Amino acid sequence: MPLDLTVLLSGGCAGTAVDVTLFPLDTVKTRLQSKQGFRASGGFSGIYSGLGPVALGSAPGAATFFLSYEFSKSKLAPLCGERYLPLVHMASACLGEVVSCGIRVPIEVIKQRAQINSSQSSISIFRNTMQHEGLRGLYRGYFATVQREIPFSVLQYPLWEGMKRAWSTFQGSEVSSWQSAVCGAVAGSFSAGVTTPLDVAKTRIMLAPKGSVEAKGHMPTVVRLVYREAGMAGLFAGVTPRVCWIGIGGFVYFGVYDTLRGMLHS
C-alpha cells in the first residue's frame, strides 16, 4: 500500500479510537474549564453531548496531521542529519498542527458548545453558530488552538521519537507497537500537563458569548483574565482529566498508529 495512504488510514483510525473511547474525560475537562463551572455546565449528566461531530471529524483531522507530519519529516530529516532530528520532529509537528487545525477547529467549537449545553443537539448548535456568527464563528479560536497545539506538539513528538530511539538503542532492536504506545503515553501526559493553561484559554475563547473580551481570541488577554478570576487553580482547571485523557489517549493513539502503519505498509 502507498505510504501516503497508509499514513492517512493509520492516523485516521488512531485519532477516532482515542476521541470516541475517551470522550467522557474530555467532557469533564471542558466543563471544569468553562467560565460557569462544572456543575452549571452539566456536571456528569449528558456526558456524551457533542460526540457526533467528533466521530465524524476525528479521522480526517488526525489523518491530515499525520500526513503533514510524516511528509515534512521525510523531507527535512535527510537534509538535517541525526544531530538535528529533534528540531525536525518539532518543525514537522508544527506544520501538522497548522494544517490539521483547519479541520479540527470547527469540530472543536461545536463539540465544546454541545458539551456545556447538553440540552441542545450538535446540529442545532451548528445552525445557531452559522446564523449568528457565520463561518467566522466556526473558526473562532483557530489561532488560540494553534497556539496551544504547537507548544504541545513541540514537547510531545520529539519526546515520543526520542524515547523510542533510546529504547530501541537500549534493547538493540526496533521498538514494538506496545513500547511505542508507552512512550506516547508518557510524552502525552507530560505535554498535556504543561500546556493546560493554554487549553483553558482556548476553551474560554470558543465558549465565550459573541462580542465579549474572550471572544476576540487574544490568548495572552484571556490567560490574564483567568488568572485574575481564579489564580493558578483557574489556569490549571481540568488538568487531571486532561492528563489522564491524553496519557491514556497517547497509549492508544501511538499504539494504534504504529500497529496499523506496520500492517498496512507490509
Side-chain angles (χ1 to χ4, degrees), residues 22-226:
L22 300 178
F23 188 82
L25 279 174
D26 183 48
T27 300
V28 170
K29 182 216 69 163
T30 298
R31 291 175 178 178
L32 284 168
Q33 293 178 346
S34 67
K35 192 168 186 175
Q36 53 266 58
F38 181 70
R39 290 188 179 180
S41 298
F44 289 105
S45 66
I47 208 78
Y48 282 97
S49 297
L51 179 61
V54 169
L56 291 174
S58 180
T64 302
F65 171 82
F66 269 114
L67 186 61
S68 303
Y69 177 73
E70 295 290 353
F71 174 80
S72 177
K73 193 170 69 169
S74 69
K75 298 299 181 184
L76 292 176
L79 298 175
C80 298
E82 185 80 16
R83 182 180 177 184
Y84 297 103
L85 274 181
L87 293 178
V88 169
H89 298 148
M90 289 179 188
S92 300
C94 290
L95 175 65
E97 295 297 355
V98 170
V99 174
S100 64
C101 278
I103 295 173
R104 288 175 174 171
V105 169
I107 300 297
E108 186 78 359
V109 168
I110 301 304
K111 178 203 75 174
Q112 290 205 307
R113 292 180 182 185
Q115 285 173 325
I116 67 161
N117 295 286
S118 57
S119 60
Q120 294 187 50
S121 68
S122 296
I123 294 176
S124 173
I125 290 170
F126 170 77
R127 288 173 179 164
N128 287 338
T129 301
M130 289 298 294
Q131 181 180 352
H132 296 104
E133 300 180 63
L135 191 61
R136 189 169 183 172
L138 288 180
Y139 278 92
R140 189 206 288 180
Y142 172 84
F143 292 108
T145 304
V146 170
Q147 286 174 288
R148 178 200 67 177
E149 292 296 340
I150 286 180
F152 176 82
S153 294
V154 161
L155 290 171
Q156 183 187 37
Y157 286 91
L159 277 174
W160 175 55
E161 300 277 12
M163 284 190 289
K164 285 198 302 176
R165 194 163 58 252
W167 201 336
S168 177
T169 301
F170 175 77
Q171 67 186 13
S173 62
E174 287 295 315
V175 295
S176 63
S177 295
W178 76 264
Q179 290 170 326
S180 174
V182 170
C183 293
V186 174
S189 297
F190 174 76
S191 305
V194 171
T195 57
T196 296
L198 301 177
D199 187 53
V200 171
K202 188 275 304 177
T203 297
R204 292 290 188 93
I205 288 167
M206 287 186 170
L207 298 179
K210 182 182 178 182
S212 64
V213 174
E214 292 98 326
K216 293 179 181 177
H218 191 238
M219 177 76 82
T221 300
V222 178
V223 169
R224 286 195 296 269
L225 285 173
V226 173

